[in-house]
Amino acid sequence: MELARSPESPTIWLFVGVNGVGKTTTIGKLGRRLTDEGSSVVMAAGDTFRAAAAEQLGTWADRCGAQLVRGAEGGDPSAIIFDAVASASAKGTDVVLADTAGRLHTKSNLMDELAKVRRVADKGAGSVTEVLLVLDATTGQNGLQQARQFTEATDVTGVVLTKLDGSAKGGIVFAIRSELGIPVKLVGLGEGAADLVDFDADEFVEALFDSGSD
Ligand SMILES: Nc1nc2c(ncn2[C@@H]2O[C@H](COP(=O)(O)OP(=O)(O)OP(=O)(O)O)[C@@H](O)[C@H]2O)c(=O)[nH]1
Ligand SMILES: [Mg+2]
């Protein structure tokens, strides 16, 4: 499934999800894909909470020639993402990939912060055309709760299902699709830059019902 581009530059894609699911890694992988396709990319270090989060994103940015916009640790993530959009707009950059700090969907103050990030990201040039909820394939029923809360805060447009290279099959995405209408758009199959594929429903269903008889 193609990720939506904004009619006016820059296109802004926001990444949300609980801790450690693979948000930053997915941005790194997508940065590679986009730059390989000839698009220019700004990565916005909206995770100001975890020490070294911006460095982690910066490493990915260096690898694919994306620009990194970061702020002070403990700073306002909305302001950093706003600055990143402004910088992308000034330089004519095509896509802003905006990272956010992992957070529990049950913490209402953190979900409010994320709602603000989404609003502010849309205030400058361009527009937010994808809000991608990153979900670890090992997540069970809790994934539906995560999807509900994150979409309430930010209007999630799609799921990135990560760590599907392990033994987990990620069947919760069916419930997320049927109850909330949110489709899976991308699948993570490893830690490397090339380990990201578009979601293929047929392949996914086959793998889900494959009892591993080989
Ligand atoms: N096997 C596998 N590992 C992955 C995949 N995606 C991410 N990881 C690993 O999962 C760990 C967490 O990834 P991050 O990208 O840092 O996750 P995050 O959501 O940004 O984490 P926080 O910012 O702390 O919330 C790292 O060790 C990644 O290499 C995947 O598709 N498969
Ligand atoms: Mg991260």
Side-chain angles (χ1 to χ4, degrees), residues 23-24 47 50 56 99-100:
K23 295 175 293 298
T24 306
D47 180 354
R50 194 165 59 79
Q56 184 192 359
D99 199 11
T100 61

Side-chain angles (χ1 to χ4, degrees), residues 19-25 29 50 56 102 163 165 188 190-191:
N19 302 81
V21 287
K23 295 175 293 298
T24 306
T25 303
K29 293 171 179 176
R50 194 165 59 79
Q56 184 192 359
K163 312 192 189 184
D165 47 309
E191 300 185 278

Side-chain angles (χ1 to χ4, degrees), residues 6 10-14 117-118 120-122 125-131 157:
S6 155
T11 287
I12 302 147
W13 296 340
L14 184 64
V117 163
R118 200 220 180 287
V120 170
D122 244 343
S127 52
V128 177
T129 53
E130 298 282 357
V131 178
T157 59

